[in-house]
Amino acid sequence: MYQGTEEVLHNETLRETVYKRTHETGLPVYFCHKPGFQKRYACFATHYGSVDTAFSAPGLGRQQVADGVAHFLEHKVFEREDGNALELFSKRGAACNAYTSYAVTNYLFSCGDGFFDHLGALVDFVLTPYITDENVEKEKGIIGQEIRMYEDHAGWRIFTNLMAGLYQNHPVRNDIAGTVESIAELNTESLYACHRSFYHPGNMIAFGIGDEDRERFFETMDASLARHPEWAAVEGVEKHYPDEPASIADANRVLEMEVSMPQLLVGIKDRSAGKTGRAFLKQELVTDILLEIVFGKASAIYQQLYADKLIDESFSTHYSAYGNIGFSVIGGDTEDPEKLANAVRGEIEAARDRGVSAEDFERQKRASMGSFFRMFNSLDFTANNFCTYRFYGVDLFDIIDVLHSIEISDLTDRLSEHFCVDAVSTSAVIPKGQ
């Protein structure tokens, strides 16, 4: 059963409507009708990620679990006494998957037919993991192989090395999957403790999207949740994070690997992260616009670096924020990481001095709007990002309206606040023996 009345979230600019009902368990359930789309998509997400290794929960007290536990639990949630949920979905003609980020674990599926059967199966396996001592030990070997594989992946190693350079204490500096040593500490009890603490209605969101009947969607979710009367909100779960100083851990980090081309990432630690609601969204959008103006393909520095053969098409930028942390990342493949690092640092300082022109601001603002309009044609983008943003009190469909509200003064302020050379760390991967 659902409590209260249905909420209608409508954005006239995008001409999108999302319907929200709050289940009696406290779970927010959302549906977006997309007439004419052949694909259907749904996700069931929890506000629980790799950085949530320290927490307090009723009946458990203060817990400090091993790095990689959220990712390990993601794998185990698919486990069933009669097999694996992935196989079940595949046999029924649906594609099912999941991912763990720093802050979110999301279970999802896409299909053409049988949407409501798949929806019920999604709820069932996420809420009732089958975790035993035997399958936990087996999984340690599987994930250990995955970790070793990523140890040879230059693109992953350079990024995790950058996080370790930007952050001194925060668990974001640790690999999402943990290490072979850290996952060796995991056991059935710790995994069930994390599932009970974070896989409950007060910490989760369900979202469906496609050309299906709205009433049937909500009825199916209600019937599915009713099969799990033991599933209840856990009041008083509190996440704990270590104090993180404003200063970075290391200015430069270099890793030698078996690569043919060196790579460089330049990170800027955000000292003003931690916003929620529209302020969170606006800061993210302003920073992405700013990065594109300063380092995007239309910028003078990009053209110069490209002409000097210091960068290629892999050079890009992005800003990410997860609760109380945030960072900008700039870089790609390069023949001379040190020279490129110096050029990027110099441009960060130069951008602070010259500011942002009105022409560049208007051009990039329009480009960003066009990009987001196209993204909303993707059911995957809409569903996954809707859930993630809701955990921070943001309505995804507010993106275009917030973009409209951004003024050039917002970029000027952000330049001064975020583009600080003493908040910069670089991470390079170079060929062994170079």
Side-chain angles (χ1 to χ4, degrees):
M1 297 292 291
Y2 294 96
Q3 298 175 328
T5 57
E6 182 179 71
E7 293 181 47
V8 180
L9 311 175
H10 179 73
N11 186 282
E12 186 59 36
T13 305
L14 289 169
R15 295 182 181 177
E16 295 282 5
T17 302
V18 171
Y19 301 90
K20 175 190 176 183
R21 297 184 191 178
T22 302
H23 194 261
E24 61 184 356
T25 57
L27 176 74
V29 182
Y30 298 87
F31 181 72
C32 180
H33 185 215
K34 299 287 281 188
F37 277 66
Q38 296 303 308
K39 179 178 177 180
R40 282 88 165 132
Y41 192 97
C43 54
F44 198 12
T46 173
H47 194 188
Y48 172 55
S50 68
V51 301
D52 301 318
T53 54
F55 62 93
S56 299
L60 297 173
R62 178 130 184 172
Q63 299 284 307
Q64 179 66 57
V65 295
D67 292 331
V69 65
H71 173 257
F72 197 102
L73 183 56
E74 173 215 310
H75 280 235
K76 297 317 300 168
V77 163
F78 284 98
E79 200 79 42
R80 295 163 54 94
E81 192 169 4
D82 58 350
N84 188 286
L86 288 173
E87 297 171 1
L88 173 65
F89 276 83
S90 180
K91 289 177 181 177
R92 292 179 174 177
C96 182
N97 211 337
Y99 62 83
T100 302
S101 69
Y102 290 122
V104 173
T105 306
N106 190 16
Y107 300 86
L108 51 96
F109 74 86
S110 62
C111 65
D113 301 316
F115 176 71
F116 296 109
D117 288 338
H118 302 315
L119 183 64
L122 176 72
V123 173
D124 288 342
F125 85 76
V126 170
L127 297 186
T128 56
Y130 177 67
I131 306 175
T132 66
D133 293 341
E134 182 181 4
N135 65 37
V136 167
E137 290 306 311
K138 180 181 178 181
E139 196 69 38
K140 287 179 181 179
I142 295 171
I143 294 183
Q145 290 179 336
E146 182 179 330
I147 291 170
R148 293 186 184 94
M149 180 185 69
Y150 276 108
E151 286 176 349
D152 294 327
H153 191 288
W156 184 250
R157 292 290 301 282
I158 193 173
F159 181 78
T160 55
N161 214 29
L162 179 64
M163 293 300 100
L166 287 174
Y167 288 90
Q168 299 186 40
N169 302 322
H170 198 283
V172 72
R173 70 192 315 275
N174 302 321
D175 195 299
I176 288 174
T179 64
V180 173
E181 293 74 21
S182 70
I183 66 170
E185 302 175 24
L186 299 177
N187 55 44
T188 305
E189 290 72 28
S190 62
L191 292 167
Y192 270 124
C194 291
H195 189 275
R196 176 181 177 275
S197 299
F198 296 108
Y199 284 66
H200 65 81
N203 198 53
M204 299 185 75
I205 288 174
F207 188 96
I209 184 169
D211 191 0
E212 291 288 357
D213 181 74
R214 177 167 106 245
E215 277 303 320
R216 190 176 174 190
F217 171 78
F218 286 110
E219 288 171 1
T220 301
M221 282 298 303
D222 182 41
S224 301
L225 296 170
R227 291 196 292 271
H228 304 280
E230 76 287 352
W231 188 60
V234 179
E235 302 293 340
V237 177
E238 183 180 359
K239 300 175 182 179
H240 305 293
Y241 304 105
D243 291 334
E244 176 63 38
S247 58
I248 60 173
D250 294 304
N252 302 285
R253 295 173 70 90
V254 179
L255 189 64
E256 291 188 3
M257 295 184 67
E258 296 289 351
V259 294
S260 57
M261 171 72 79
Q263 300 175 28
L264 174 79
L265 291 181
V266 178
I268 311 176
K269 186 176 187 176
D270 192 353
R271 293 161 172 167
S272 60
K275 294 178 172 60
T276 59
R278 280 201 169 203
F280 173 93
L281 180 58
K282 185 173 183 178
Q283 180 162 288
E284 181 179 72
L285 295 172
V286 166
T287 309
D288 276 330
I289 291 173
L290 194 56
L291 287 168
E292 191 63 28
I293 289 173
V294 177
F295 291 105
K297 292 185 177 181
S299 67
I301 187 66
Y302 183 99
Q303 297 299 323
Q304 185 61 56
L305 294 173
Y306 196 89
D308 293 342
K309 301 188 185 311
L310 272 178
I311 63 171
D312 58 20
E313 295 295 324
S314 68
F315 188 82
S316 64
T317 69
H318 74 269
Y319 173 77
S320 298
Y322 304 92
N324 60 345
I325 59 169
F327 47 85
S328 292
V329 179
I330 306 147
D333 295 340
T334 179
E335 293 183 355
D336 192 334
E338 183 177 359
K339 190 172 182 180
L340 178 58
N342 290 334
V344 172
R345 288 178 186 271
E347 188 62 17
I348 288 171
E349 288 191 290
R352 283 173 60 94
D353 293 337
R354 69 171 178 266
V356 178
S357 72
E359 181 182 1
D360 285 342
F361 168 65
E362 292 297 336
R363 171 182 53 79
Q364 190 52 47
K365 186 175 175 179
R366 288 195 299 270
S368 296
M369 287 183 183
S371 176
F372 279 116
F373 271 116
R374 289 189 295 274
M375 287 179 183
F376 280 108
N377 287 322
S378 165
L379 303 192
D380 308 40
F381 169 85
T382 303
N384 296 334
N385 284 279
F386 188 95
C387 291
T388 297
Y389 277 119
R390 284 306 308 169
F391 289 134
Y392 298 112
V394 177
D395 180 354
L396 175 68
F397 296 130
D398 283 345
I399 281 182
I400 299 299
D401 294 337
V402 173
L403 268 173
H404 272 298
S405 74
I406 293 173
E407 299 180 355
I408 193 169
S409 59
D410 296 315
L411 272 70
T412 302
D413 292 342
R414 187 63 170 151
L415 258 179
S416 176
E417 175 186 74
H418 184 51
F419 270 43
C420 305
V421 174
D422 63 348
V424 169
S425 177
T426 66
S427 174
V429 168
I430 61 174
K432 283 188 174 180
Q434 180 170 305

